[in-house]
Amino acid sequence: SSIHQNQGPKVLWGAGHNMRDWSEKDEINWPKWMSDFTLVGIRDYLQGYEWVPCASCMHPAFDKDYEVTNKVIWFEHKKQLIKATEFGREPVLRFCNSGQNFEQVIELLGSAETVVTNSYHGVYWATLLGRKVICVDAWSSKFFYFKHKPLFCKSKAWEERIGYAPSYPEALEECRTANVNFW
């Protein structure tokens, strides 16, 4: 129909893959329909398209300073809860990414020195806040293509690996710059 003939440019912004039961040895095969877009930006770093991470990095909640009041917090994906027996010996605050108020989630992540998570956005947002990040039990391909990679380990091993968790003070600026340039 003529409705579709005069459409403007089509933009794919911050998309990415999400394959379960995937190994880093497996190849990423992007769908053919991606060639239908005028402009493509993906959240996955060095994967054949322009790197444009999730635009949530532009939110002003990341401009605030958050006092570190917790050595460690756990931030879990709402559909991938960690077994209670895998939290280690010390009591740790445990939260679930179930669509709460965005500003509260960022404040919570900002309260931690180290965030242990199995949530994509838990990794991403804690990284943007300059926190140390441990990704436990990565259950999808989406975890392995961050530009600013977390420490990966099994949930049972997080306590012994905590000293190796990286932080990236430059991450927020780099992610925002990528989004502004794509805009």
Side-chain angles (χ1 to χ4, degrees):
S1 90
S2 62
I3 293 174
H4 297 292
Q5 290 177 352
N6 294 323
Q7 288 184 339
K10 291 192 269 182
V11 177
L12 188 60
W13 191 314
H17 49 79
N18 184 13
M19 295 179 281
R20 291 178 179 264
D21 302 320
W22 180 86
S23 155
E24 284 187 89
K25 295 176 231 130
D26 296 338
E27 189 175 331
I28 301 297
N29 294 312
W30 294 101
K32 290 184 180 16
W33 53 258
M34 286 178 66
S35 64
D36 295 339
F37 286 84
T38 312
L39 193 57
V40 175
I42 62 168
R43 68 183 182 197
D44 307 305
Y45 191 60
L46 296 177
Q47 292 302 299
Y49 292 96
E50 184 174 352
W51 174 67
V52 184
C54 176
S56 62
C57 66
M58 303 305 288
H59 197 283
F62 292 106
D63 295 322
K64 297 179 183 175
D65 289 323
Y66 298 98
E67 181 183 354
V68 174
T69 55
N70 298 298
K71 183 172 172 56
V72 178
I73 64 165
W74 275 72
F75 189 73
E76 298 173 82
H77 188 281
K78 66 183 175 186
K79 294 181 181 174
Q80 301 288 331
L81 299 178
I82 306 291
K83 293 177 186 157
T85 57
E86 297 182 2
F87 281 89
R89 295 173 299 281
E90 299 295 321
V92 176
L93 291 173
R94 181 178 181 184
F95 300 92
C96 180
N97 186 11
S98 58
Q100 307 97 311
N101 177 291
F102 183 79
E103 286 90 353
Q104 288 175 341
V105 169
I106 301 308
E107 184 177 349
L108 166 72
L109 294 171
S111 76
E113 180 181 320
T114 302
V115 175
V116 181
T117 185
N118 67 348
S119 158
Y120 179 88
H121 283 95
V123 169
Y124 183 57
W125 295 333
T127 299
L128 295 177
L129 290 163
R131 300 311 187 244
K132 296 175 189 170
V133 183
I134 300 174
C135 179
V136 294
D137 304 337
W139 48 271
S140 165
S141 62
K142 66 185 175 180
F143 291 100
F144 296 99
Y145 293 95
F146 282 104
K147 179 176 184 184
H148 310 96
K149 291 187 182 298
L151 172 72
F152 292 99
C153 69
K154 296 291 183 191
S155 55
K156 290 181 180 182
W158 75 270
E159 283 181 297
E160 62 196 49
R161 303 289 318 270
I162 195 167
Y164 299 100
S167 66
Y168 300 93
E170 71 282 4
L172 178 61
E173 184 180 336
E174 287 183 6
C175 292
R176 283 180 165 174
T177 297
N179 272 275
V180 168
N181 289 345
F182 193 68
W183 171 252

